[in-house]
Amino acid sequence: MLPATPHLSILVPVYNNETTIDPLVERMRTALEGLHYEAVIVDDGSRDSSLARLKAQAATDSRLRIISFSRNFGQHPAIAAALDYARGDILVLMDADLEDQPENIP
């Protein structure tokens, strides 16, 4: 059984962002505390440990939905996949490099 539909979906394409994955997820958790959200994070064939870090984070947080591409297809296909899987009423697109700050979402 799927959890209730989230109000907010954060869409994040990821490509070789191993150094920002953990801070990104932690900052989202803090900034969005009390909100009903999901994060749809698409690993676009990263060659570093991005996918492993995402899986580790998702293992302890059911709000994280990880999609993994078999190879690098590019940012736009990753965004399209996130859009396909998003269930929220409100969609927020952000980059994984923390240039877009999770604290700005609320």
Side-chain angles (χ1 to χ4, degrees):
M1 174 185 251
L2 289 173
T5 303
H7 180 63
L8 175 66
S9 293
I10 314 300
L11 314 178
V12 186
V14 169
Y15 181 69
N16 294 338
N17 292 103
E18 68 185 359
T19 61
T20 60
I21 296 297
D22 295 334
L24 170 68
V25 171
E26 291 305 319
R27 286 175 62 181
M28 276 196 301
R29 284 182 184 133
T30 300
L32 303 174
E33 186 174 344
L35 297 178
H36 188 55
Y37 76 95
E38 69 176 354
V40 181
I41 306 173
V42 181
D43 181 73
D44 187 20
S46 294
R47 294 183 176 180
D48 62 4
S49 66
S50 293
L51 182 58
R53 289 177 185 271
L54 289 168
K55 287 180 178 181
Q57 290 283 353
T60 61
D61 191 340
S62 63
R63 296 171 296 189
L64 304 180
R65 301 178 64 212
I66 310 304
I67 300 166
S68 175
F69 285 176
S70 60
R71 66 173 180 83
N72 179 253
F73 288 93
Q75 183 179 28
H76 293 119
I79 292 169
L83 287 167
D84 285 344
Y85 282 88
R87 298 175 295 160
D89 299 314
I90 299 170
L91 307 178
V92 175
L93 176 62
M94 62 183 300
D95 289 331
D97 63 5
L98 291 170
E99 184 173 327
D100 301 320
Q101 298 179 8
E103 295 80 9
N104 291 335
I105 295 170

